[in-house]
Amino acid sequence: MDKHVTLETWLAFLLACWIISLSPGAGAIASMASGLNYGFARGYWNAIGLQLGLLMQVGIVAAGVGAVLATSALAFTLIKWFGVLYLLYLAYRQWKAPVGQIEPSAQPAPAGRPFELIMRGLVINASNPKAVVFMLAVLPQFLDVTRPLLAQYTVIAVTMVVVDLIVMAGYTGLASKVLRLLRSQRQQRVVNRSFAGLFAAAAGLLALVKKASV
């Protein structure tokens, strides 16, 4: 444990990370969709992108830009609606995802480029202004302003990333197992459209977010 962060503070933050990461959200939906569509090994690249977006959010808060986002209605609205449109785009992509007959011994097709999956995860997290404002409200509670902030933010970022990687591995792996159980085109189509509905629901929830409520 870094000498600039007490064990008690870190354990409290670790618990908070698990609670937040396990809570269903756009990142979890994207991880499950990636595992379903591409299998674990390929689909997990999406989780890497989610962590890059998470690190970007922490960096924004650490740099003080988060305070500007929290007070600027225009910046908040622009980022929010970009996120809404991107989630709707993912819903459309998932709805139109191709289906095919899967043999019991077949492995998931190695479709989906790693860079594309990384960028998908990054954009999902980076385009959620509510998450930045949430971090702006929560992270200071685990910071000691009398100690070097860079070291504390580093510990916070590493803890969040490690926990989220574990959780997203669970979501991705679970969905990749489901893929092997799908035998008919109808089953695959139902699951694809179910995830499309989840993406659309996430977009709807983000659209309802107002700056005054965070």
Side-chain angles (χ1 to χ4, degrees):
M1 183 58 55
D2 191 280
K3 64 180 181 180
H4 300 303
V5 180
T6 66
L7 178 60
E8 293 78 9
T9 299
W10 181 75
L11 288 176
F13 183 71
L14 179 63
L15 177 60
C17 284
W18 279 104
I19 294 173
I20 294 170
S21 189
L22 285 169
S23 301
I29 296 170
S31 292
M32 290 187 288
S34 296
L36 175 71
N37 292 331
Y38 312 118
F40 179 81
R42 184 60 62 96
Y44 196 59
W45 285 105
N46 173 81
I48 303 300
L50 289 172
Q51 305 321 306
L52 293 177
L54 185 62
L55 289 174
M56 182 181 298
Q57 291 174 344
V58 175
I60 288 174
V61 172
V65 181
V68 176
L69 179 60
T71 57
S72 172
L74 177 60
F76 187 94
T77 300
L78 288 176
I79 295 176
K80 181 187 78 170
W81 284 106
F82 174 78
V84 169
L85 292 175
Y86 187 69
L87 288 172
L88 289 175
Y89 165 73
L90 292 180
Y92 171 77
R93 286 278 303 272
Q94 192 68 37
W95 184 277
K96 302 294 288 186
V99 296
Q101 192 70 24
I102 299 179
E103 297 299 327
S105 60
Q107 297 294 325
R113 297 177 180 177
F115 179 75
E116 178 184 350
L117 293 172
I118 289 174
M119 290 304 300
R120 176 186 299 183
L122 189 155
V123 172
I124 286 174
N125 267 350
S127 62
N128 187 351
K130 184 180 179 182
V132 175
V133 178
F134 175 79
M135 286 190 184
L136 188 64
V138 172
L139 293 190
Q141 301 179 41
F142 298 96
L143 296 173
D144 184 347
V145 295
T146 65
R147 299 183 179 186
L149 292 178
L150 179 58
Q152 295 181 73
Y153 273 116
T154 299
V155 172
I156 283 174
V158 170
T159 301
M160 294 180 72
V161 166
V162 170
V163 170
D164 206 54
L165 280 173
I166 295 172
V167 172
M168 293 307 131
Y171 281 129
T172 307
L174 178 63
S176 68
K177 296 299 183 182
V178 172
L179 179 64
R180 298 185 179 184
L181 300 178
L182 304 180
R183 298 290 180 261
S184 70
Q185 294 184 5
R186 180 178 179 277
Q187 290 174 320
Q188 296 171 54
R189 188 175 294 109
V190 167
V191 174
N192 282 341
R193 292 182 175 179
S194 296
F195 275 105
L198 291 174
F199 275 123
L205 291 175
L206 183 58
L208 294 175
V209 172
K210 297 181 180 179
K211 190 176 70 65
S213 65
V214 292

